[in-house]
Amino acid sequence: MARPDKAARAAIARRRSDAIDLRLAGVDWLTIARKLAADPVANSDGIAYPQGYGIERYRKSQDPPSDEALIHAACRDVRTALAERRAELNDDVDELRALEADRLDRLFFVAYKKAVRDQDLTAIDRTLRIMERRARLLGLDMPVRTELTGADGGAVQIENVTTDELDALIKLTDPDAG
């Protein structure tokens, strides 16, 4: 099958967006599939949805797809659209991370000059804090290895742990917690 033209790709994107919107609204898969079907016979609104499910069958004047095939297409659409949105979000996060790294580099340069030139202890502390933040932002720090043991170095008995003991364990492994 040839790659769809620009108008068809836009219609497919709209269909996927509509499928997500319907699913978020709590609509079941079959209703979504019928609402977005290309064939007016299968479409719950009785219209030919542009680039709807079963468009190739509709163009060839074949019977509309089965309910199972329509449901499969709707599920695939939602999965594809969500994956594309996640990829876009990841790209946005990468751009923001690069922007923040640039900002930290500029701040570092100012603080570093003052720390070296004036041997200012406050500037040195500020420089180190900027370096720490940049390392966290870019994932440069090595992970900290933490081992938990129970009484006498044995295994921790989770099934007999109280809420207070569990909170204490969390505080040991996550210094930022509580």
Side-chain angles (χ1 to χ4, degrees):
M1 184 184 324
R3 185 168 193 258
D5 62 14
K6 190 174 184 177
R9 286 193 308 272
I12 291 169
R14 180 71 214 158
R15 180 191 72 212
R16 288 178 177 159
S17 177
D18 289 348
I20 287 177
D21 290 345
L22 290 166
R23 190 64 184 156
L24 287 173
V27 177
D28 67 276
W29 289 113
L30 182 57
T31 303
I32 293 169
R34 286 186 177 156
K35 186 161 187 66
L36 303 178
D39 193 325
V41 172
N43 188 292
S44 58
D45 295 333
I47 59 168
Y49 190 90
Q51 290 298 319
Y53 305 130
I55 187 71
E56 294 301 320
R57 296 178 66 87
Y58 179 63
R59 286 183 180 145
K60 295 175 184 174
S61 299
Q62 296 175 342
D63 289 336
S66 67
D67 287 349
E68 185 177 304
L70 287 171
I71 290 171
H72 178 72
C75 290
R76 186 181 60 238
D77 251 5
V78 169
R79 275 194 310 272
T80 300
L82 290 175
E84 288 170 356
R85 286 184 182 182
R86 272 192 302 274
E88 288 172 14
L89 286 174
N90 287 341
D91 290 345
D92 291 345
V93 168
D94 289 342
E95 287 177 30
L96 286 172
R97 188 174 287 118
L99 177 64
E100 288 299 316
D102 289 344
R103 288 176 178 157
L104 289 170
D105 288 345
R106 288 182 181 188
L107 293 171
F108 175 80
F109 180 70
V110 172
Y112 184 78
K113 271 192 345 188
K114 184 162 180 67
V116 172
R117 185 185 61 226
D118 301 340
Q119 296 182 352
D120 180 343
L121 293 179
T122 304
I124 291 171
D125 288 341
R126 181 80 32 90
T127 302
L128 289 171
R129 284 182 42 215
I130 293 169
M131 290 169 61
E132 289 169 358
R133 176 67 187 113
R134 190 172 193 284
R136 275 194 322 272
L137 176 72
L138 300 176
L140 300 176
D141 292 333
M142 293 289 292
V144 177
R145 182 182 169 120
T146 305
E147 287 187 30
L148 300 177
T149 59
D152 300 322
V156 175
Q157 296 296 319
I158 299 297
E159 55 272 350
N160 297 327
V161 174
T162 67
T163 306
D164 292 336
E165 291 172 320
L166 190 55
D167 286 339
L169 286 172
I170 290 171
K171 286 178 185 170
L172 282 174
T173 59
D174 185 3
D176 296 331

